[in-house]
Amino acid sequence: MKTHRIALIPGDGIGPEVTAPAWAVLQEVARTYDFALAGTEFPWSCAFCKDTGRMMPEDGIETLRGFDAILLGAVGWPAEVPDSVSLHGLLLPIRKAFVQYANIRPHRLLPGVEGPLKARDFDILCIRENTEGEYSGAGGRVHQGTEDEVAVETAIFTRTAVERILRFGFEQARTRRGKLASVTKSNAQKHSMVFWDEITRELAAEYPDVAVTSYHVDAISARMIMAPESLDVVVASNLFGDILTDIGAAIQGGLGFAASANINPGRSAPSMFEPVHGSAPDITGRGIANPMAAVWSGAMMLKHLGEADAADRVMTALSTVTAKGIGTVVGKDSTGAITAAVIAALQ
């Protein structure tokens, strides 16, 4: 029996509340398809940071390197640890150290889920550059606490990173409907975004079977709301992709359905899978967190690990459950009830 070693980082807030159900679903489908998932749980979180002064141990990256994949719940508890500390102490170091340069977020409505739009037949795959750009962390502050204080945040765009994320997007478009939207703001950002546009045009010549359209980020934001069915694969920088995928989550029914994958396409290190919704301190402990985004992220993990049939089975189970109206209305069904319904749909 094939065994996949998974690092489990439940994290903060509702992270543990959705990671446990997702893990239960994944274990159930693994039994059906005759493979094993061996999980090792790590308590790295804001609570861990308050106890130790670090979001993860000094050797955390090397510890994770030996796993086949990472399943993450949520990171952040701003009332206890500043987001700038928690994000830069756990999530971003993992993404960068393991060259998880492709952040993939699917946006479509599951059966029975009502989104805020008239449109229902959309299927958008957002691909966000995940290691540099506006979140590079380059910059600093001087003269702090004085009238002359200055803060500088420098976006870093390398040809290597821009080319590889665009190429990844082109390859994904080839497996779908053959359309790629490249997102910039090159009318206002005349260096980094013009650079991105130029590389898009260069690569488009290598993919004549893919229809390429370049959009400014404000224009495609409107298009995702007014005509989401016109979009297929969307590729954007770290900041623009972050914002656009929140729009995507909204139009697919909310953050409870928004899954994501942080992929190392070269498979030289583990990839990481996580729901988009964050730690949601306001509903922590109430038993109403929707685990579907975590389960969907788990399905993406199975597919990445080569268990495509099992991944499809999980997504079919989610669709079966939502078609019955379970988990489709925020707060109506408990976390436990949704989880039980998904597991029953697998059997």
Side-chain angles (χ1 to χ4, degrees), residues 15 22 45 48 66 135 152 177 199 211 218 237 245 258 288 296 321 325 347:
S45 61
F48 183 88
Y135 293 176
V152 176
R177 302 193 307 278
I199 295 175
D218 46 347
S237 69
T245 52
I288 60 171
W296 193 334
V321 169
Q347 296 168 343

Side-chain angles (χ1 to χ4, degrees), residues 125 127 163-174 176-183 196 199-201 203-204 207 209-215 220 230-236:
L125 188 69
I127 298 172
E163 182 172 323
R164 72 188 178 188
I165 195 65
L166 284 166
R167 192 176 294 280
F168 185 85
F170 275 105
E171 295 294 340
Q172 293 297 307
R174 274 183 165 172
R176 290 168 52 91
R177 302 193 307 278
K179 297 192 297 183
L180 182 134
S182 175
V183 181
W196 183 293
I199 295 175
T200 301
R201 287 193 293 271
L203 291 180
Y207 295 89
D209 52 325
V210 176
V212 183
T213 306
S214 291
Y215 292 93
I220 201 169
S230 68
L231 298 170
D232 181 17
V233 174
V234 175
V235 184

Side-chain angles (χ1 to χ4, degrees), residues 269-317:
S271 294
M272 180 167 60
F273 304 81
E274 57 173 322
V276 175
H277 52 57
S279 60
D282 58 320
I283 63 168
T284 298
R286 294 171 57 189
I288 60 171
N290 190 339
M292 288 191 176
V295 173
W296 193 334
S297 300
M300 296 175 76
M301 182 180 75
L302 292 181
K303 185 173 182 179
H304 180 75
L305 292 171
E307 306 293 351
D309 289 342
D312 290 344
R313 180 73 170 268
V314 171
M315 292 309 300
T316 298

Side-chain angles (χ1 to χ4, degrees), residues 212-279:
V212 183
T213 306
S214 291
Y215 292 93
H216 290 151
V217 65
D218 46 347
I220 201 169
S221 296
R223 179 169 286 272
M224 286 183 72
I225 295 167
M226 300 300 293
E229 69 283 350
S230 68
L231 298 170
D232 181 17
V233 174
V234 175
V235 184
S237 69
N238 217 328
L239 172 63
F240 292 166
D242 194 2
I243 295 168
L244 290 174
T245 52
D246 268 17
I247 296 176
I251 65 175
Q252 73 180 120
L255 288 168
F257 302 101
S260 76
N262 303 277
I263 298 295
N264 174 320
R267 298 177 182 268
S268 60
S271 294
M272 180 167 60
F273 304 81
E274 57 173 322
V276 175
H277 52 57
S279 60

